[in-house]
């Protein structure tokens, strides 16, 4: 069965994943920043995932400027937000992306069905 257009646009393709991994040198951006990981086990810190800045649930595109490498621990910590750290982590994530792309724009990272003007 073919994937829906929105699904295709919000998933990271292999090409985008490779660009993100190369940019981040395969390391979790939060671990590189020295962000606390109290209570994490080595496996949660060792498994790497690609994180969306603007989540797929909010139609965040699967593009390099909307993603970064994260260890499973920090990715879950940011996504679950049950410790009240989500806003702070997103602030650091945004600062990281702005450092990589001086012209970075949140508005350009959201799927728009009629994006032709």
């Amino acid at each position: 069965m073919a994937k829906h257009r929105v699904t295709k646009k919000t998933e990271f393709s292999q090409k985008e994943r490779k660009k993100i991994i190369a940019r981040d040198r395969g390391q979790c951006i939060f671990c590189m920043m020295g962000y606390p990981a109290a209570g994490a086990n080595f496996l949660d810190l060792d498994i790497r995932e690609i994180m969306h800045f603007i989540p797929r649930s909010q139609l965040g595109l699967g593009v390099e400027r909307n993603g970064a490498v994260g260890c499973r621990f920090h990715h879950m910590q940011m996504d679950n937000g049950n410790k009240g750290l989500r806003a702070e982590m997103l602030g650091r994530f945004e600062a990281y992306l702005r450092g990589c792309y001086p012209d970075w724009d949140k508005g350009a990272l959201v799927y728009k069905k009629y994006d032709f003007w």
Side-chain angles (χ1 to χ4, degrees):
M1 180 176 221
K3 290 184 180 180
H4 190 274
R5 181 181 312 134
V6 175
T7 302
K8 287 183 194 176
K9 294 284 188 178
T10 60
E11 280 183 355
F12 290 110
S13 68
Q14 282 303 105
K15 180 180 174 184
E16 294 298 311
R17 288 176 179 276
K18 286 179 182 180
K19 288 194 265 183
I20 292 167
I21 291 167
R23 181 199 64 211
D24 299 345
R25 298 179 309 278
Q27 299 298 311
C28 169
I29 63 167
F30 293 110
C31 290
M32 285 192 297
M33 293 174 193
Y35 199 80
N41 65 47
F42 82 96
L43 195 55
D44 285 340
L45 295 172
D46 195 45
I47 296 174
R48 303 293 193 283
E49 302 171 338
I50 304 293
M51 309 178 291
H52 280 79
F53 176 76
I54 297 177
R56 291 179 65 187
S57 62
Q58 295 175 10
L59 301 180
L61 295 172
V63 296
E64 180 181 1
R65 290 174 176 236
N66 191 36
V69 175
C71 66
R72 177 163 288 167
F73 178 80
H74 284 121
H75 191 182
M76 287 176 47
Q77 192 174 43
M78 184 180 73
D79 281 356
N80 294 335
N82 60 357
K83 296 187 181 194
L85 302 173
R86 182 167 176 77
E88 179 187 349
M89 292 179 84
L90 283 175
R92 289 185 183 216
F93 196 167
E94 181 174 344
Y96 176 79
L97 292 171
R98 286 188 186 281
C100 294
Y101 311 103
D103 62 340
W104 187 83
D105 175 22
K106 271 191 229 184
L109 304 176
V110 178
Y111 174 77
K112 297 172 187 77
K113 184 173 182 178
Y114 300 107
D115 194 15
F116 49 83
W117 37 62

